[in-house]
Structure formats: structure tokens, C-alpha cells
Amino acid sequence: MKILILGSFMMDLVVRTPRAPEKGETVIGTNFHKFPGGKGANQAVAAARLGAQVIMAGKVGNDPFGNEAIETLIKEKVDTQYILRDEAYPTGVGSIVLEENGDNRIVVVPGANLKFTLSDLELVKDVIRNSDILVAQLEMDIEVISAAIDYAHKSHVPVILNPAPAQKLSRDLLSKVTYLTPNETECEILTGIKICNTDDAETAANTLLNMGVENVIITMAENGAMIANADGIQNLPGYSVKAVDTVAAGDAFNGALAVGITKGKPLHEVVRFANAVGALAVTKEGAIPSLPYLKDVEKFMSQSSPKMQN
């Protein structure tokens, strides 16, 4: 199974604090850490740690943060030959305020991520065509992401689109997406439907199906995930764990989803597996450092039962 991740690199600068400050307020933090991350890099490492052959494409700056990002991926056995350097723009940075309860607030400065161009995309078209699945997010130029999805669609390569950071997307783009994985907030931005309960989520999922998406998978944190497609709607409960840091939970889920899909397993089994991977990721601090290995996920699933929380 060969997974191509077209996506972003960020150096995450994480401040832990009892609570996030209000407007105009200063609070005292408890510690600070620096972690390589970015949605693309996180998803690439998540899939690699679960045993997949992963290729990463994107752009970093010609700077120490870029060096660290590439070195981290190489250590994780991710193919980095399609990661480009930009001489003018720095590697992206994510500023993260992490509260003691695990909730977070994130500001992203994309930097070199937005400088991956349509010309750069030409270098990876053969890789897209020869991959088992393409995974993309929205921390890069939307024109590049749209072109990559269009090319994958024409090449009959399935596409996972993690629509984060969320923005309105065209029907044309959505009609070429095989698996769309918004969380509840992202789903509201995509559809205009505020999700307060399961009925709202079903309405939003059906709206996205009507816009052409083949499979909609709405992630709902500890409450699991909802699958919607031509076969109907299915709710899969999540796992109850103590959250330490929720930063990479969605990325862990998407990496696991790609791995399970390329193994040819039924979608409900794949999503149950991805729920477990996402749950394990929130039990450790940091983005990449929190991503679990396959043996740990298998052990966790053998000892834990998913359950819906109220």
C-alpha cells in the first residue's frame, strides 16, 4: 500500500496554561515545547507508524525548522524526496495554546506551505497516478489542492480530503472527493448547518452527499464518528480516554483512515480503527510525539471497548 500525503509542515510552538487568556488578559503558562508538526506531516507519520509506505510532498523553508521537519520524517521512514525548499519564505509555524483539560487554540502562519505551486505539482503527478490513495488538507494553496484532487480523480485514485482549516469548497471539487473527513466545526463551515446533535450531523452529512462527496465521515471527538454514503448513515462510538493534548487527534484519525482503506477493509471497521488511533493520540502531549504505533493500537483495541459518551 502506497499512500501519498500532499500537505503542510509546521513547527508547533506549544504553550501549556491552566486556561487560555481572555481578550486583553495575560496568564502565566506552565511550560513550553517545540514539536515538528503540520497536518500533512502529522498524517504522514501517523500512517507510517501504522505500517504504511508513505510519500510526503510539500514545501518547507531553507531554515532550521525545515531541516528538523525533514529529519523527523526521514527518521519515521517517510519518503521525503518530493519535499521542496523555498529560499524566500520560512517553514510554517503553528502557535498553540494548550489548556490543562486538553483543549487547544491554534494560530497557523503557513509560510512556505503556500508557496507549493502548480508547477511544483507537476513533479508529483506520476506519484499521484501510482499511489493507492491521495491524502490532502487545506493548509496549502487551494488551487494546488484542487488540481491534485482533479488529477487523482481522473487517474482513478481515491482521495481523502481533510477540510482543515475549513473553508467553503466548490461542488466541483467536492464531487471528486472519495472520503471527506470534517469535524463538527468544519462541517458547519462547509454546509452552514450548526451541529448540536446527531440529527444535525445527519442533515449536514446528507447535504455534503448531495454536493457530490462519495463518503462523508464526520469526526466527533470522544463521541466517535458518523459515516454517510449511498448505503445510509452509521454512527460509530468513540473510546473514552483521559485527554492530555488534542492537537493531533484529527491527523491521527486521517492517517489511520488512509491505512485501513488501502488494506481494503470495510469502511466501518476502518473508522473504528481510526477512532482508536485518534483516542490514543490525545493521551500524550505533542503532535508527532503522540502518534501511536500499530502494536499499541492493537493492544488498546483488544483491551478497550468503544462507548458513546453523553
Side-chain angles (χ1 to χ4, degrees):
M1 52 181 171
K2 184 185 294 183
I3 297 170
L4 173 62
I5 311 284
L6 175 63
S8 57
F9 303 85
M10 299 287 174
M11 185 58 69
D12 292 339
L13 308 177
V14 184
V15 174
R16 181 176 283 275
T17 177
R19 61 176 180 83
E22 302 292 337
K23 180 180 178 180
E25 181 187 20
T26 299
V27 300
I28 302 298
T30 55
N31 59 50
F32 168 80
H33 293 289
K34 175 171 67 68
F35 301 111
K39 291 186 177 300
N42 293 342
Q43 291 170 18
V45 173
R49 288 188 177 181
L50 297 172
Q53 179 184 354
V54 182
I55 302 170
M56 179 83 198
K59 185 170 279 191
V60 297
N62 190 13
D63 53 30
F65 284 175
N67 295 341
E68 188 171 345
I70 292 175
E71 289 167 4
T72 298
L73 292 181
I74 291 172
K75 182 180 178 181
E76 297 291 343
K77 299 181 172 59
V78 174
D79 186 338
T80 62
Q81 64 179 301
Y82 297 98
I83 298 173
L84 307 177
R85 297 272 195 170
D86 194 287
E87 296 295 331
Y89 286 82
T91 301
V93 172
S95 177
I96 300 171
V97 175
L98 180 63
E99 297 180 308
E100 291 299 338
N101 65 3
D103 289 341
N104 61 76
R105 289 166 172 79
I106 304 174
V107 177
V108 168
V109 182
N113 290 299
L114 291 180
K115 301 306 170 181
F116 190 95
T117 65
L118 291 172
S119 295
D120 296 330
L121 184 64
E122 291 293 323
L123 301 174
V124 296
K125 278 193 169 181
D126 285 345
V127 185
I128 294 174
R129 187 174 65 250
N130 294 313
S131 295
D132 294 308
I133 198 163
L134 169 67
V135 183
Q137 322 81 36
L138 299 178
E139 287 182 337
M140 296 175 71
D141 187 334
I142 187 61
E143 191 175 5
V144 171
I145 295 301
S146 298
I149 290 173
D150 180 66
Y151 187 75
H153 180 71
K154 290 175 179 175
S155 302
H156 307 291
V157 174
V159 174
I160 295 174
L161 177 61
N162 177 214
Q167 59 180 277
K168 288 286 188 180
L169 298 173
S170 70
R171 283 179 174 267
D172 179 65
L173 188 155
L174 291 171
S175 68
K176 298 167 185 173
V177 173
T178 321
Y179 305 92
L180 186 73
T181 60
N183 62 24
E184 293 157 295
T185 301
E186 292 154 1
C187 206
E188 179 181 350
I189 292 172
L190 289 168
T191 65
I193 298 169
K194 185 173 180 60
I195 297 179
C196 300
N197 51 48
T198 302
D199 288 343
D200 295 335
E202 289 187 9
T203 301
N206 282 319
T207 298
L208 291 166
L209 291 178
N210 290 334
M211 294 174 75
V213 180
E214 187 173 338
N215 298 277
V216 177
I217 303 168
I218 302 175
T219 59
M220 298 182 287
E222 70 274 7
N223 289 324
M226 173 182 289
I227 302 172
N229 52 33
D231 295 327
I233 291 178
Q234 184 175 9
N235 292 293
L236 294 174
Y239 291 83
S240 180
V241 296
K242 179 176 175 54
V244 173
D245 182 350
T246 61
V247 168
D251 298 330
F253 181 95
N254 279 277
L257 188 72
V259 172
I261 289 168
T262 56
K263 288 183 175 179
K265 294 184 177 181
L267 188 55
H268 69 278
E269 290 185 16
V270 174
V271 172
R272 185 173 290 114
F273 172 70
N275 278 342
V277 175
L280 274 178
V282 307
T283 64
K284 294 183 179 180
E285 192 170 353
I288 286 176
S290 75
L291 301 170
Y293 292 89
L294 181 59
K295 60 181 177 58
D296 299 319
V297 179
E298 291 173 339
K299 180 180 179 181
F300 174 72
M301 293 184 74
S302 70
Q303 296 177 346
S304 306
S305 298
K307 52 186 175 182
M308 194 76 74
Q309 291 192 354
N310 295 324

